[in-house]
Amino acid sequence: MTIAATDRCTVISADCHAGADLLDYKPYLESKHHAAFDAWAATYVNPYEDLLADTADKNWNSARRLAELEEDGIVAEVVFPNTIPPFFPSASLMAPAPTREEFAQRWAGLRAHNRWLADFCAAAPGRRAGVAQILLNDVEEAVKEVRWAKEAGLTGGILLPGTPPGSGLPELYSSAYDPLWAVCAELGVPVNHHAGSASPPLDATEPAARAVFMVETTWFSHRALWHLIFGGVFRKHPELKLVLTEQGSGWIPGVLDMLDYYHSRLVAAASKASTAESKFGAGLAAMMGNPPSEVWRENCFVGASFMRPHEVPLRDRIGIDKIMWGSDYPHDEGTYPYSREGLRIAYADVPRNELRAMAAGNAARVYGFDLAYLDGIAAKSGPTYEELAVPLETPPADATSPVFAPGGKVRVW
């Protein structure tokens, strides 16, 4: 039986990761850094087992990625970093902010990654939206890199680093970053904030520290939302888009309620007689503009990697037009090779038009994918809507994604 194209679901992963093999970054470095790179690479020991395994080439093998993602039902991807850029001690998402002495070399390393990524995306036209990396130590240089990334075709936007306690950087609400928000708004460049990029350093030798990191890492990433809202970033730059990726989505309605509460409370207090609380609200209304929930509806999105079933009933409060599903390929906590099952466990009871929006339509709108072009590819390899409508009762025995973890099937309707 022939399956009509309209019976297949187009799936864009709004959360995948890639990077070059370590030595392959060298041609993308300015020649003045080559000697230092050779010395660094000769003694560098990669701390990540998955980047030393036989499967590490999933990060840079273009043909393998296309084949595996397509086999998994995914026709396009938003590409965040994964491997170690030159002069970094660990993956750039996890590395602490560089010191003044480290900045020049690490900035060169990130620029090399961005140029590698532009070539990597060009190898699969229309199917990869690469996310360029920046550092916040030099805003003027970051602005130049945003302009370069736009011209180079990196349609995924930029990855916003965190400013964790102790980083020495101004907080994200600081006006120091206004030129960065302005250029992103001007060029239509999405600002992405990914989990893991805003947590303070931890003592990896302590089991408790590792557990605390798991509990707190998403919270530290959430902070970007209220920093930018209360900092008035979206009032000054109403075209700016903020995407919060791999941080879950169930927290959003409650946090928006909380932010609205503080906004209304502080604005009201500022208009009253001089009190301790009135000082906290002074200037807030004029600076930030609309209430946080309105800012969310106008400017913000969530890369809700493998949305879990208990989050799905909140989709109307989050905004069906705000949610973008992701597989987190090639991480072992991602849904590959069971992305169809990952979609089923969450979205089996969701109407087709809503599923299409969360699986592809929203990502196409935010990152500029040609949905009609991708529909043509999905017509051959995408999962059928009929398949995705069947609830998943038993997860695959060898699945490693937390979407299949005990409790992941709990439904709150």
Side-chain angles (χ1 to χ4, degrees):
M1 180 180 67
T2 302
I3 299 173
T6 53
D7 290 332
R8 291 193 183 272
C9 182
T10 300
V11 182
I12 298 171
S13 172
D15 180 27
C16 287
H17 296 264
D21 199 1
L22 188 67
L23 297 181
D24 290 341
Y25 277 124
K26 183 176 178 178
Y28 294 95
L29 282 167
E30 294 177 85
S31 58
K32 65 182 180 181
H33 295 290
H34 284 182
F37 175 80
D38 289 341
W40 172 77
T43 59
Y44 183 75
V45 178
N46 197 313
Y48 301 112
E49 292 182 8
D50 62 315
L51 296 181
L52 299 172
D54 293 339
T55 56
D57 74 324
K58 290 182 177 188
N59 286 281
W60 56 80
N61 186 327
S62 181
R64 177 176 187 169
R65 284 180 77 97
L66 285 173
E68 291 191 350
L69 287 170
E70 205 164 310
E71 181 185 8
D72 207 27
I74 297 167
V75 296
E77 55 175 331
V78 179
V79 186
F80 288 89
N82 197 45
T83 62
I84 313 298
F87 308 117
F88 274 71
S90 59
S92 53
L93 271 175
M94 305 297 294
T99 64
R100 184 172 300 176
E101 293 73 25
E102 294 167 331
F103 171 72
Q105 283 193 334
R106 291 213 195 163
W107 182 234
L110 287 194
R111 293 178 78 242
H113 170 82
N114 292 342
R115 282 140 187 79
W116 172 87
L117 183 61
D119 284 348
F120 186 69
C121 291
R127 301 185 67 175
R128 292 181 181 139
V131 179
Q133 297 190 78
I134 61 169
L135 289 170
L136 297 177
N137 304 61
D138 187 323
V139 175
E140 183 178 345
E141 284 299 312
V143 168
K144 291 178 184 176
E145 193 70 1
V146 171
R147 292 193 180 279
W148 174 87
K150 178 71 174 182
E151 293 174 3
L154 290 176
T155 57
I158 62 164
L159 178 61
L160 177 66
T163 55
S167 70
L169 295 169
E171 296 284 7
L172 289 177
Y173 54 70
S174 170
S175 61
Y177 303 121
D178 280 351
L180 178 61
W181 316 134
V183 72
C184 289
E186 173 198 339
L187 299 179
V189 170
V191 174
N192 304 275
H193 195 55
H194 194 285
S197 63
S199 300
L202 67 109
D203 181 356
T205 64
E206 289 280 358
R210 296 194 295 271
V212 167
F213 174 84
M214 289 297 292
V215 172
E216 293 182 347
T217 185
T218 52
W219 182 86
F220 277 106
S221 296
H222 299 344
R223 293 173 77 223
L225 176 63
W226 51 84
H227 277 230
L228 269 62
I229 288 178
F230 285 119
V233 170
F234 301 104
R235 180 190 62 79
K236 289 180 280 189
H237 309 288
E239 302 304 315
L240 191 69
K241 294 188 182 78
L242 174 67
V243 183
L244 303 172
T245 297
E246 204 177 324
Q247 304 176 29
S249 59
W251 59 275
I252 294 169
V255 164
L256 291 177
D257 287 345
M258 177 191 70
L259 297 180
D260 277 351
Y261 164 73
Y262 279 111
H263 172 261
S264 61
R265 172 178 160 183
L266 292 173
V267 168
S271 64
K272 293 182 169 59
S274 180
T275 63
E277 187 152 298
S278 70
K279 295 173 181 149
F280 281 92
L284 184 64
M287 183 171 65
M288 70 166 288
N290 293 333
S293 58
E294 292 184 27
V295 174
W296 173 268
R297 287 194 294 271
E298 293 296 322
N299 301 93
C300 303
F301 301 84
V302 58
S305 302
F306 38 85
M307 203 171 184
R308 296 181 68 176
H310 69 275
E311 297 174 300
V312 177
L314 299 171
R315 64 189 184 277
D316 287 314
R317 294 180 61 194
I318 298 167
I320 292 168
D321 61 337
K322 300 294 179 182
I323 298 167
M324 301 180 289
W325 183 87
S327 70
D328 200 26
Y329 176 95
H331 293 162
D332 58 12
E333 66 267 27
T335 55
Y336 176 82
Y338 299 114
S339 291
R340 289 174 172 83
E341 289 80 1
L343 287 161
R344 285 172 56 196
I345 201 170
Y347 295 141
D349 300 315
V350 170
R352 182 179 296 196
N353 65 314
E354 296 182 11
L355 174 53
R356 179 170 171 80
M358 293 186 287
N362 297 333
R365 180 162 45 90
V366 172
Y367 295 109
F369 287 105
D370 183 341
L371 198 52
Y373 168 69
L374 296 178
D375 286 345
I377 301 171
K380 301 175 183 177
S381 60
T384 65
Y385 284 104
E386 182 179 12
E387 172 190 2
L388 298 182
V390 179
L392 185 71
E393 299 300 331
T394 304
D398 59 341
T400 54
S401 172
V403 76
F404 302 117
K409 294 195 298 179
V410 174
R411 294 181 183 268
V412 184
W413 297 99

